[in-house]
Amino acid sequence: MGRSRIITIASCLAILAGALPILATFYMSWKIVETRKQTQLSDLAGYALARAQATFADATNALEQAKQLKDPACSPAHVDALRRIVVNTRSVEDIGYFDNGALQCSSWGKPANAVTRSSADITMSNGIGVTASLYPLISGRSPLMGLHSGSYVALTNPARFVDIPAARDTKLAVMAGTTQVVSTLHDPDLQMIRKVAAGTTPAGPVLHDTARDRDWTVVATTPKVDVFRDLGNDLKLLLPVGAATSLLMVGLVVWLSRRRMSLLGELTTAIRRREFIVHYQPIIELKSGICVGAETLVRWRRSNGETVRPDIFIPLAEENGLIEAITQQVIEMAVSELKDTLAADRSLHIAINLAADDIRSGHVLPFMARLLEANDVHPQQLWLEATERGFMNAAQARTTLEKARQSGHSVAIDDFGTGYSSLQYLQDLPLDALKIDKSFVDIIGTDAATSAITPHIIDIAKTLDLFIVAEGVERQEQADYLAQRGVHYAQGWLFSRPLPKAEFIEFYQDRQQAKGSAPEVIQRPEGRHAAGGATPLPRSV
Ligand code: C2E
Ligand code: CA
Ligand code: CA
């Protein structure tokens, strides 16, 4: 079961690891091309706007000059002057003089046919009227734009605005105001252009950009990026990087899962060969400094002499249904190594870590009962520690914990404060002790904003009438603080690291002698769990 689960998970991860970098490469190339196109559009629209502004300024200037002319209207001198203005103004093709709505003369002289003055479609901010398309006298030319000022109309060629090199599918429209189209490039869809100019997003796969000032609006559009057609070069550059990353990640997944699989295989063998050893971390009564017990901490001593930390193999064992076998070996070892010491001092206890599976099945209880009986160790001398994960299934947890307490064991909630249990939930569980997680001990004496939480946890334990064990005490300052707050027990490097059997017994005896007599055995306090059994707890009060 373990192997096939690892293989399934690894396969899913490998597919993801392989696909994600490639997809990311596509996405990145696409974004790069799209950004580039968007910048091009913005440049294009800006350029066309600048041209419209320049032409308009030029033409305005020419009209002003014409209006200054003093010669009699349409006299040879007047026509001459108009021609000079036209020749000197690049963007103006012709200037006509109108009277009574009819063309009297232009820079070409008097008109051969009657020409009526068209009305302006729109008036610009400087008062000049604009007619979007006028047909010039010389036929066959594209429509021109008429600019009206006083009696004069200047003709300019708006094709200049969009005389810009651009890809065929890039389209451009220049509008006087926001709607009056005066010039286009590549025949854009004017309905869509007007929508963009009005600020509504056009439907369909199109990128667009708008440049505008008070008088002019320029809209540029181009079809959205076609991933497979437009990406070409960018993809060629990025794809090898994506592919290499994919390969690397797939390799990593394969390597990690093989390692995990072989670790799982080795762990299974280790259980069969009993490759585990137990260390004991002394638990100290803060008030007296006496060693009242020890937490058993398992280590895996591999055949090559290497020691594996429990953080690595305990979760693996838990995931693969191997933890109960390990728990039993730990209990067997601890009892067999310490039975004499435990028999000599009935106030001494050892604490065993139970996993969620142990609590769910409860198999550990009859196993312990037989073992303790056979080795003359009292059930009161075996404490059980369970994390909140072990209480996931509340009904089963309650059954096992209640049975444990009835047999005489004390039960502690481990790593307290790191889970999500509500106070109500804890209140309902049959518990005797609470172990404050190391993270809350670490912040004692620091000005971490959260340090207010430590006294809060101590108060919770007191409210629930639980004994308190503080974990991971490393500094005297922490021990002093905890003692002062009424915390009963502590363990941590300040007192001792986890020790092999012989060293633990030596530590324990030293502590007894140093402090004089052994702690007296007292009854579990008359609290909410008093009915659960009268387990003597070592405590010198
Ligand atoms: P835990 O039950 O919270 O055990 C306390 C851990 O904190 C131990 O690490 C201990 O060596 C370490 N520790 C104690 N005092 C200090 C200190 O002052 N400073 C620092 N930095 N660390 C300190 P260890 O032995 O590596 O165990 C890690 C975890 O592995 C345990 O956390 C427990 O969850 C699990 N574990 C260990 N033994 C067993 C076992 O027999 N059965 C089960 N189910 N889990 C076990
Ligand atoms: Ca523990
Ligand atoms: Ca803990």
Side-chain angles (χ1 to χ4, degrees):
M1 173 198 125
R3 282 181 80 86
S4 65
R5 228 187 84 184
I6 292 179
I7 290 171
T8 314
I9 294 176
S11 309
C12 294
L13 282 178
I15 291 171
L16 275 180
L20 280 181
I22 300 278
L23 288 177
T25 306
F26 268 95
Y27 181 75
M28 261 161 61
S29 317
W30 175 63
K31 273 287 162 204
I32 289 171
V33 174
E34 189 172 272
T35 310
R36 193 187 305 137
K37 283 204 168 190
Q38 193 71 50
T39 312
Q40 278 167 359
L41 279 187
S42 154
D43 288 350
L44 221 62
Y47 192 54
L49 177 67
R51 284 198 158 205
Q53 288 168 333
T55 306
F56 187 60
D58 233 18
T60 304
N61 190 27
L63 284 168
E64 283 309 313
Q65 286 177 38
K67 280 160 74 184
Q68 305 289 318
L69 295 176
K70 300 283 185 276
D71 307 298
C74 295
S75 62
H78 183 231
V79 171
D80 235 29
L82 288 180
R83 193 174 305 136
R84 254 198 313 279
I85 294 173
V86 169
V87 168
N88 290 329
T89 312
R90 221 158 43 102
S91 54
V92 170
E93 312 281 321
D94 194 6
I95 294 181
Y97 173 78
F98 287 80
D99 195 18
N100 277 329
L103 178 66
Q104 305 300 316
C105 59
S106 74
S107 62
W108 296 86
K110 303 228 174 197
N113 310 313
V115 176
T116 46
R117 185 170 183 171
S118 338
S119 56
D121 299 316
I122 182 170
T123 304
M124 305 302 250
S125 59
N126 61 359
I128 290 189
V130 173
T131 307
S133 37
L134 283 178
Y135 286 87
L137 296 178
I138 306 166
S139 57
R141 293 194 51 181
S142 50
L144 296 178
M145 183 171 78
L147 303 176
H148 303 248
S149 185
S151 306
Y152 292 92
V153 176
L155 292 181
T156 64
N157 186 356
R160 269 174 204 288
F161 300 172
V162 294
D163 183 13
I164 301 167
R168 271 227 67 83
D169 54 5
T170 298
K171 302 178 182 223
L172 208 62
V174 180
M175 285 165 282
T178 52
T179 52
Q180 195 63 52
V181 176
V182 295
S183 185
T184 61
L185 178 70
H186 296 153
D187 198 17
D189 170 356
L190 292 181
Q191 219 180 339
M192 182 177 78
I193 293 284
R194 289 204 174 92
K195 269 193 187 159
V196 174
T200 39
T201 318
V206 64
L207 294 176
H208 56 85
D209 201 89
T210 309
R212 62 173 94 230
D213 67 1
R214 272 200 301 179
D215 292 325
W216 303 96
T217 308
V218 181
V219 173
T221 69
T222 195
K224 277 221 167 109
V225 179
D226 179 334
V227 178
F228 294 98
R229 203 197 60 198
D230 301 343
L231 295 188
N233 285 333
D234 297 278
L235 205 55
K236 255 184 244 154
L237 279 176
L238 284 175
L239 207 54
V241 181
T245 314
S246 282
L247 273 177
L248 207 76
M249 286 182 65
V250 171
L252 193 72
V253 168
V254 170
W255 181 71
L256 280 174
S257 44
R258 282 178 70 129
R259 227 180 72 133
R260 211 169 159 74
M261 217 137 74
S262 74
L263 192 68
L264 179 60
E266 285 171 46
L267 186 61
T268 315
T269 314
I271 293 171
R272 209 177 49 241
R273 294 202 198 142
R274 305 181 72 91
E275 286 180 359
F276 303 100
I277 57 164
V278 177
H279 282 181
Y280 304 92
Q281 185 171 39
I283 298 175
I284 306 297
E285 185 185 51
L286 279 170
K287 213 171 180 188
S288 60
I290 289 170
C291 171
V292 295
E295 177 177 3
T296 60
L297 294 161
V298 68
R299 273 95 184 87
W300 174 11
R301 173 77 41 87
R302 294 170 75 163
S303 42
N304 61 8
E306 180 196 350
T307 306
V308 186
R309 290 166 43 101
D311 308 356
I312 295 169
F313 69 88
I314 293 286
L316 190 66
E318 286 181 339
E319 280 165 30
N320 292 285
L322 300 174
I323 191 67
E324 287 184 272
I326 295 179
T327 305
Q328 294 197 353
Q329 291 191 18
V330 167
I331 299 172
E332 267 172 359
M333 269 183 290
V335 168
S336 103
E337 287 187 347
L338 292 183
K339 61 181 176 202
D340 296 339
T341 318
L342 289 166
D345 177 359
R346 292 300 179 188
S347 74
L348 187 70
H349 80 270
I350 47 175
I352 303 288
N353 287 289
L354 293 188
D357 274 359
D358 295 312
I359 293 171
R360 199 174 308 126
S361 77
H363 293 157
V364 71
L365 295 180
F367 174 81
M368 284 193 303
R370 284 194 302 274
L371 195 72
L372 296 184
E373 169 89 52
N375 290 280
D376 188 27
V377 175
H378 293 176
Q380 288 76 1
Q381 294 183 281
L382 211 69
W383 290 30
L384 305 176
E385 294 186 8
T387 62
E388 285 165 64
R389 268 180 302 135
F391 305 141
M392 224 72 121
N393 185 323
Q396 284 167 335
R398 166 179 301 284
T399 312
T400 304
L401 298 189
E402 254 161 16
K403 274 191 196 154
R405 297 186 79 250
Q406 270 155 20
S407 311
H409 302 294
S410 289
V411 177
I413 179 166
D414 203 355
D415 299 343
F416 184 76
T418 58
Y420 305 99
S421 305
S422 70
L423 205 53
Q424 177 65 46
Y425 180 75
L426 283 179
Q427 202 154 19
D428 292 343
L429 278 171
L431 296 172
D432 300 287
L434 176 156
K435 296 191 85 170
I436 304 179
D437 189 66
K438 177 173 185 302
S439 51
F440 301 108
V441 173
D442 284 343
I443 55 180
I444 293 174
T446 68
D447 45 21
T450 41
S451 59
I453 208 164
T454 312
H456 184 60
I457 287 176
I458 296 172
D459 288 344
I460 290 177
K462 285 183 181 161
T463 314
L464 295 178
D465 199 15
L466 300 174
F467 285 97
I468 311 171
V469 185
E471 294 185 303
V473 178
E474 292 178 349
R475 287 174 282 122
Q476 187 59 47
E477 174 195 8
Q478 295 167 329
D480 294 344
Y481 175 94
L482 293 163
Q484 187 212 330
R485 292 267 168 175
V487 170
H488 314 100
Y489 306 117
Q491 64 184 100
W493 295 354
L494 173 67
F495 311 107
S496 169
R497 296 204 175 217
L499 302 169
K501 168 203 161 184
E503 285 171 44
F504 167 68
I505 293 176
E506 203 175 311
F507 178 93
Y508 155 75
Q509 282 166 350
D510 275 0
R511 281 277 168 157
Q512 297 306 101
Q513 278 160 19
K515 302 293 167 182
S517 62
E520 55 187 293
V521 175
I522 60 131
Q523 298 297 305
R524 187 150 41 193
E526 289 299 318
R528 64 200 176 95
H529 298 308
T535 311
L537 282 166
R539 193 182 179 212
S540 57
V541 238

